[in-house]
Amino acid sequence: GENKDTIMLSGTIGLSDQAIAPDAPILVAATLSIDRQSLENGAAQTVISIVTADPKTLAFKMDLSGKNIIPGDNIYLIAFADTNYTGGTPYPDAGGDYIGIYVSPDALSPGYTVKAGENTGLHIDINRKVYDYTASISGEIKIRQAGDITMIAYYGGIDSSDFSTIDFSHVIGYSRVYKDGSGPVSYTIDILPYGKPLPIKNLYIFALLDSNGNNRADY
């Protein structure tokens, strides 16, 4: 039988931006954060594992066995074209790098829940230029129902009230807060410096309540 302690990830990379240098190495990282400063300043602590995708097929394989990751853990998967690698642990920076973030087709926000054994078919599109800024949005949510609330910062047009169809490439920030059912709740969304330079116009803020824990929007 399959070794229950084995955790393998595999998938493919899509290069959807023609500005990416053809000879830039394509790296795939499993991380504990997608915050740019965390990746840059604490790369060794933030990055669980990093591999190079095959330059011809853009396929990747990653072994998380023995990396202190267990089935059920939530991690982030990022891919980036590293145009200016200078040594040490690679990370996406604003020197011309492009990044992609994995998001599950049926989830509200980025992240991947690890399964035992083979985790296959993970596709990441590299479609965001990396910028150098720090920005956040904060406010208050007024709602009576209790549950997990996913906050999403989204730029561009909205064509549907079905949030499962939103284009994740336009999501530039997200946060989760828990609402206990009494009074308003405060939130802060850190804007990811991936994809859009400041200032960012036509920005929408969504508050999506998951009242039954199925990782889908109920309100």
Side-chain angles (χ1 to χ4, degrees):
E2 188 173 55
N3 185 342
K4 66 179 181 179
D5 296 324
T6 299
I7 298 177
M8 299 290 296
L9 276 58
S10 62
T12 52
I13 306 301
L15 297 180
S16 54
D17 196 308
Q18 299 303 312
I20 299 172
D23 58 346
I26 305 301
L27 301 167
V28 184
T31 71
L32 299 175
S33 171
I34 54 175
D35 175 72
R36 189 185 67 84
Q37 290 182 318
S38 295
L39 290 171
E40 182 173 344
N41 298 332
Q45 292 76 33
T46 302
V47 175
I48 304 163
S49 181
I50 190 164
V51 298
T52 302
D54 185 291
K56 293 183 179 180
T57 66
L58 296 182
F60 71 90
K61 288 187 177 182
M62 180 183 296
D63 187 355
L64 295 187
S65 310
K67 298 284 188 178
N68 293 321
I69 297 296
I70 61 174
D73 281 354
N74 189 73
I75 63 172
Y76 297 101
L77 288 172
I78 64 172
F80 58 102
D82 195 350
T83 61
N84 55 0
Y85 178 61
T86 57
T89 302
Y91 59 86
D93 65 21
D97 289 355
Y98 286 77
I99 191 174
I101 305 168
Y102 177 81
V103 60
S104 173
D106 59 354
L108 296 174
S109 56
Y112 179 72
T113 302
V114 175
K115 299 180 295 185
E118 298 283 344
N119 296 252
T120 61
L122 303 173
H123 183 79
I124 309 171
D125 284 315
I126 297 179
N127 53 12
R128 302 167 182 250
K129 189 174 182 178
V130 180
Y131 294 93
D132 183 11
Y133 61 75
T134 301
S136 63
I137 296 172
S138 59
E140 191 175 73
I141 309 166
K142 295 181 179 179
I143 188 171
R144 294 182 178 180
Q145 291 85 355
D148 289 311
I149 299 175
T150 297
M151 305 295 302
I152 293 176
Y154 187 90
Y155 71 89
I158 304 298
D159 299 322
S160 170
S161 60
D162 180 3
F163 293 107
S164 66
T165 65
I166 66 174
D167 182 355
F168 182 73
S169 67
H170 289 188
V171 173
I172 55 171
Y174 76 98
S175 179
R176 286 195 180 100
V177 295
Y178 179 72
K179 177 68 168 57
D180 62 7
S182 61
V185 60
S186 298
Y187 71 87
T188 298
I189 305 173
D190 290 328
I191 301 301
L192 297 171
Y194 307 137
K196 293 286 286 185
L198 296 179
I200 302 171
K201 299 180 179 179
N202 301 321
L203 188 65
Y204 294 86
I205 305 298
F206 298 140
L208 310 176
L209 177 69
D210 179 11
S211 61
N212 57 12
N214 67 352
N215 203 27
R216 295 175 185 271
D218 301 309
Y219 293 93

